[in-house]
Amino acid sequence: MKIYGDLISPFVRMTVVTAHEVGLGDKVQHLVEAVKPTEVNAKLAALSPIGKIPILETDHGHGVYDSRVIMEYLCHVAGNSTLIPDDGVKRFRVLTLQALGQGLADSAVAYRYEVGVRPQGLQWQEWMSRTVTRMNAAFDDLESNWQDCLAGVHVGAIAVAVTLGYVDFRLGDLNWRQGRPKLAAFHEAFALRPSMVKTALKPK
Ligand SMILES: N[C@@H](CCC(=O)N[C@@H](CS)C(=O)NCC(=O)O)C(=O)O
């Protein structure tokens, strides 16, 4: 199996962390593939018409995407039923937490494109302000309503921990730790897991 994409993408890192957590770290080849929102990457386009990273290529040459599906695919291949629990109540709590972490990542990546990639002068201030409000609402919700769930190791906790790492890396000015000590403690502890250490972002 191959996973294409750069670990700076929180979506890519979530899948590689998942591969390590389910014991497939040695079976998954991680290949760095750069993408630009304004250009087609021919190699990726052959596996996915959407062309966003991550994409997993199976041993049979099929493309599996997006990150949520890849995380589930890896759990399935490994026979792991703890990262996505079977039990209905736990399952949908974990999957909703994963959606919250990935929704936050969507906002953070889009904000980064707007600020760092979009040509100067074309930024949309109202959208940027709404996006910061959305990200702060997500941080507040994680602080107040998800601490019980964040105590486990599953796709929800992975999505949140990786996204917070991305926010630190790209959007440090957001100061998400301020007034959110429980979320900060969660991130500090989760970042010590070997899966997170092996995929840690290095400043370029
Ligand atoms: N919903 C997708 C989002 C993936 C995504 O947004 N990837 C970004 C990098 S972080 C990308 O490939 N951007 C290139 C583009 O927009 O063309 C997932 O969960 O995998």
Side-chain angles (χ1 to χ4, degrees):
M1 278 177 284
K2 296 173 186 151
I3 291 178
Y4 294 100
D6 193 318
L7 285 176
I8 290 176
S9 159
F11 302 102
V12 173
R13 189 173 176 211
M14 285 173 207
T15 64
V16 178
V17 167
T18 301
H20 287 298
E21 289 289 347
V22 299
L24 291 176
D26 294 339
K27 295 216 165 57
V28 173
Q29 201 183 344
H30 172 222
L31 299 167
V32 177
E33 197 64 44
V35 284
K36 288 189 179 162
T38 49
E39 284 173 23
V40 175
N41 174 317
K43 190 190 285 181
L44 298 180
L47 291 165
S48 156
I50 304 300
K52 292 192 178 185
I53 52 172
I55 300 174
L56 180 145
E57 184 178 359
T58 67
D59 292 340
H60 300 287
H62 299 299
V64 176
Y65 54 91
D66 58 4
S67 60
R68 209 171 298 191
V69 180
I70 296 173
M71 290 160 91
E72 185 171 348
Y73 179 82
L74 293 167
C75 291
H76 174 80
V77 169
N80 179 298
S81 57
T82 59
L83 257 57
I84 304 176
D86 285 333
D87 171 78
V89 175
K90 282 190 197 146
R91 182 181 184 86
F92 291 101
R93 183 103 174 124
V94 163
L95 291 177
T96 303
L97 181 61
Q98 182 188 22
L100 175 54
Q102 296 196 320
L104 180 56
D106 276 330
S107 291
V109 167
Y111 190 82
R112 159 76 189 161
Y113 281 156
E114 184 79 7
V115 172
V117 182
R118 202 169 162 93
Q120 284 300 314
L122 292 182
Q123 280 76 17
W124 183 9
Q125 293 303 328
E126 291 88 345
W127 180 90
M128 287 165 68
S129 164
R130 169 69 185 118
T131 303
V132 170
T133 303
R134 198 195 302 276
M135 289 190 280
N136 279 322
F139 297 137
D140 286 341
D141 193 43
L142 289 165
E143 173 76 10
S144 303
N145 301 320
W146 289 95
Q147 292 303 316
D148 58 335
C149 196
L150 284 170
V153 177
H154 40 60
V155 292
I158 292 171
V160 172
V162 167
T163 300
L164 294 175
Y166 176 81
V167 172
D168 277 341
F169 194 76
R170 288 292 202 209
L171 306 173
D173 291 353
L174 286 180
N175 287 325
W176 65 265
R177 287 178 181 78
Q178 202 167 340
R180 301 181 186 107
K182 290 183 271 188
L183 190 57
F186 155 75
H187 184 250
E188 197 177 336
F190 205 92
L192 297 175
R193 296 188 67 75
S195 62
M196 294 290 286
V197 173
K198 279 185 196 138
T199 59
L201 302 181
K202 296 171 191 72
K204 284 189 173 170

